[in-house]
């Protein structure tokens, strides 16, 4: 009995030592595992700090900003084409949330045009051939791959100045003499019609294309005032040749000796047989024919359609989308000049028969529908 007791104590001690060693080993393992987690955590913190430190300051700010998507219609993409992606793609530019809605507006305008163009009931009012008359309206900037369709009485003079500068004819908009802007032998603006058929098609498929519209009836009022009332460019043929032709055919009161009145003008434009006079007037009719006749929006797939009423937003957007906003700015727009003036429209149409106004609307209905302008029921009913 005396011999077994020390042996049992030794075994007990050895067992305790073994258990302690196991516990100590596990303790070290847990410490090692905790250390590993701490190293990983510190690495993640350091990585985040480095990312924030070296982030591009132009693409990051305290304000909430978003990459915006813009869309342009598919026109048969060619190699190297940059303006006509088949799907929505980011512009790569960051805009503040105050301008988030803008690209959606321009996409909706293009979608509206596509829908109206597919409407068989409006086909005669929305479609036209891409004739020389249309190609003569489109100005070309090859250097920056831009096509601009001229729609007179919608602020086109300023857009011509922009293109003149881009083409290198003058170093700045301020230096362009007014008499040069519309002189196509001096302003350095080639027309699309001056190119071969193959070159025309290439430009139509690959260039950035745009034009500007405004309320169709307000545009007609502007054209009438500019050409028959004020005539600031001293173009005598409007008063001495075109006006008498309209008066002879459309004035109801033959004893009336005043010059052309807006009522005469409306009756001429609403006449389904107006083309007989149009042929006599030649290209002067560009100031009052429809946007469809000028720019063929159902046949030519434009990149952006600007609206005169929102030109303060549309002009910078067009320059940005065309990739020229760092080269030129649209001239300053006087406050209130682009706002739709219903009172003025009502005043000009006052006293004109509903029949004549309805016939006028029937001719310009395509423009109203294509570009989202509200039907002027206050004049028609």
């Amino acid at each position: 009995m005396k011999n077994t007791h020390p042996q049992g104590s030794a075994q007990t001690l050895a067992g305790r030592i073994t258990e302690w060693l196991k516990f100590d080993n596990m303790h070290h393992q847990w410490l090692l595992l905790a250390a590993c987690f701490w190293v990983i955590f510190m690495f993640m913190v350091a990585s985040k700090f480095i990312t924030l430190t070296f982030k591009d300051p132009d693409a990051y700010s305290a304000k909430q900003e978003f990459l915006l998507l813009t869309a342009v219609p598919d026109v048969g993409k060619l190699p190297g084409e940059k303006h006509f992606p088949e799907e929505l793609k980011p512009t790569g530019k960051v805009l503040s949330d105050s301008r988030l809605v803008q690209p959606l507006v321009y996409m909706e305008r293009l979608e509206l045009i596509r829908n109206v163009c597919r409407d068989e009931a409006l086909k005669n009012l929305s479609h036209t051939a891409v004739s020389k008359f249309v190609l003569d309206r489109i100005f070309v900037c090859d250097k920056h791959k831009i096509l601009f369709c001229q729609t007179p009485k919608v602020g086109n003079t300023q857009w011509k100045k922009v293109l003149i500068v881009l083409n290198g004819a003058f170093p700045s908009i301020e230096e362009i003499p007014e008499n040069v802007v519309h002189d196509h032998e001096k302003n350095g603006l080639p027309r699309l019609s001056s190119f071969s058929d193959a070159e025309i098609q290439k430009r139509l498929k690959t260039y950035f294309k745009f034009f500007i519209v405004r309320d169709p009836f307000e545009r007609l009022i502007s054209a009438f005032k500019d050409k028959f009332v004020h005539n600031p460019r001293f173009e005598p043929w409007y008063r001495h040749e075109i006006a008498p032709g309209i008066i002879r055919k459309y004035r109801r009161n033959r004893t009336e000796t005043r010059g052309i009145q807006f009522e005469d003008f409306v009756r001429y434009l609403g006449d389904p047989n107006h083309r007989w006079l149009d042929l006599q007037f030649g290209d002067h009719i560009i100031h009052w024919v429809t946007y469809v006749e000028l720019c063929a929006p159902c046949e030519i797939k434009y990149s952006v359609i600007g609206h005169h009423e929102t030109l303060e937003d549309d002009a910078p957007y067009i320059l940005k989308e065309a990739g020229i906003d760092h080269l030129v700015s649209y001239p300053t727009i006087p406050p209130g000049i682009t706002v739709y003036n219903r009172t003025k429209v009502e005043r000009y149409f006052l006293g004109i028969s509903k029949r004549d106004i309805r016939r006028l609307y029937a001719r310009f209905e395509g423009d109203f529908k294509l570009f989202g302008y509200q039907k002027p029921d206050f004049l028609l009913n």
Side-chain angles (χ1 to χ4, degrees):
M1 293 296 293
K2 291 180 180 178
N3 292 334
T4 57
H5 184 267
Q7 186 179 8
S9 299
Q11 289 176 347
T12 302
L13 180 61
R16 289 179 177 177
I17 292 172
T18 301
E19 289 178 358
W20 182 83
L21 288 173
K22 287 181 179 178
F23 174 79
D24 187 61
N25 187 41
M26 290 178 63
H27 180 71
H28 280 288
Q29 288 178 348
W30 279 108
L31 286 176
L32 182 61
L33 185 62
C36 289
F37 277 116
W38 177 256
V39 171
I40 293 171
F41 174 74
M42 292 302 295
F43 177 78
M44 292 173 63
V45 171
S47 175
K48 186 68 175 178
F49 174 77
I50 292 170
T51 301
L52 291 176
T53 302
F54 291 99
K55 199 170 187 68
D56 181 1
D58 291 333
Y60 183 85
S61 73
K63 294 182 180 179
Q64 185 180 21
E65 296 181 325
F66 302 83
L67 281 176
L68 300 177
L69 298 179
T70 56
V72 292
D74 177 21
V75 291
K77 192 173 182 181
L78 295 181
E81 182 178 348
K82 67 177 181 178
H83 292 296
F84 304 96
E86 295 179 356
E87 299 177 354
L88 301 181
K89 294 184 179 179
T91 63
K93 297 191 178 183
V94 178
L95 297 179
S96 64
D97 52 356
S98 65
R99 299 185 64 188
L100 264 176
V101 71
Q102 284 194 353
L104 297 178
V105 169
Y106 305 114
M107 286 189 286
E108 288 170 356
R109 290 175 185 175
L110 296 176
E111 182 63 24
L112 175 62
I113 290 173
R114 286 191 287 268
N115 290 336
V116 175
C117 290
R118 289 193 289 262
D119 189 341
E120 288 294 324
L122 293 171
K123 188 172 183 179
N124 291 337
L125 295 171
S126 61
H127 289 262
T128 191
V130 184
S131 61
K132 185 179 183 300
F133 181 81
V134 171
L135 297 175
D136 278 344
R137 310 280 75 78
I138 300 176
F139 296 104
V140 181
C141 176
D142 277 330
K143 184 176 180 180
H144 299 283
K145 296 186 176 181
I146 297 171
L147 299 181
F148 166 61
C149 184
Q150 176 189 23
T151 50
K153 312 323 304 169
V154 192
N156 281 253
T157 297
Q158 306 305 326
W159 284 110
K160 280 187 176 181
K161 291 179 179 179
V162 168
L163 293 183
I164 289 170
V165 171
L166 290 175
N167 277 351
F170 288 87
S172 69
I173 287 176
E174 293 74 22
E175 296 180 56
I176 305 173
E178 288 298 322
N179 64 320
V180 169
V181 177
H182 301 288
D183 188 334
H184 299 296
E185 293 183 359
K186 297 179 180 179
N187 63 18
L189 291 180
R191 299 174 189 261
L192 191 55
S193 58
S194 65
F195 296 89
S196 68
D197 289 345
E199 290 174 324
I200 289 172
Q201 291 306 314
K202 178 183 177 182
R203 286 165 174 79
L204 285 174
K205 288 180 178 179
T206 61
Y207 281 22
F208 178 88
K209 303 180 292 294
F210 76 101
F211 67 95
I212 315 296
V213 297
R214 73 187 294 187
D215 177 86
F217 279 6
E218 193 169 39
R219 172 176 170 251
L220 294 180
I221 292 171
S222 179
F224 178 79
K225 289 169 57 181
D226 185 64
K227 300 306 174 186
F228 299 110
V229 180
H230 303 306
N231 200 247
R233 295 198 189 112
F234 305 105
E235 300 163 309
W237 48 87
Y238 286 101
R239 288 180 178 173
H240 302 312
E241 296 175 23
I242 295 176
I246 294 173
I247 291 171
R248 280 194 300 270
K249 185 170 178 60
Y250 295 103
R251 177 157 293 178
R252 286 177 176 164
N253 184 358
R254 298 295 179 178
T255 61
E256 175 64 64
T257 58
R258 291 183 301 170
I260 187 170
Q261 301 297 299
F262 189 64
E263 182 180 9
D264 306 321
F265 190 55
V266 167
R267 199 169 293 120
Y268 151 57
L269 295 178
D271 183 0
N273 299 313
H274 63 84
R275 297 191 185 281
W276 182 80
L277 272 187
D278 289 350
L279 291 173
Q280 297 183 44
F281 299 156
D283 280 358
H284 300 308
I285 64 173
I286 65 171
H287 299 280
W288 50 76
V289 297
T290 66
Y291 299 128
V292 171
E293 294 170 279
L294 290 169
C295 298
C298 287
E299 286 66 37
I300 299 174
K301 294 183 171 51
Y302 288 88
S303 313
V304 178
I305 305 298
H307 280 225
H308 187 258
E309 294 81 2
T310 54
L311 196 57
E312 288 186 0
D313 292 327
D314 292 6
Y317 180 82
I318 290 169
L319 295 177
K320 178 180 71 68
E321 289 298 294
I324 55 174
D325 53 326
H326 62 294
L327 299 174
V328 66
S329 298
Y330 189 83
T332 302
I333 302 170
I337 196 171
T338 63
V339 177
Y340 174 72
N341 190 336
R342 173 170 166 163
T343 302
K344 178 179 68 176
V345 173
E346 289 178 324
R347 185 172 70 251
Y348 267 83
F349 280 92
L350 184 65
I352 299 178
S353 72
K354 299 297 182 184
R355 170 183 174 274
D356 289 337
I357 299 176
R358 288 171 187 148
R359 289 177 69 169
L360 180 69
Y361 177 77
R363 178 179 175 186
F364 286 86
E365 183 180 8
D367 284 357
F368 277 93
K369 294 287 180 66
L370 280 164
F371 305 109
Y373 286 101
Q374 188 174 1
K375 183 179 179 180
D377 289 322
F378 64 95
L379 297 175
L380 300 170
N381 301 323

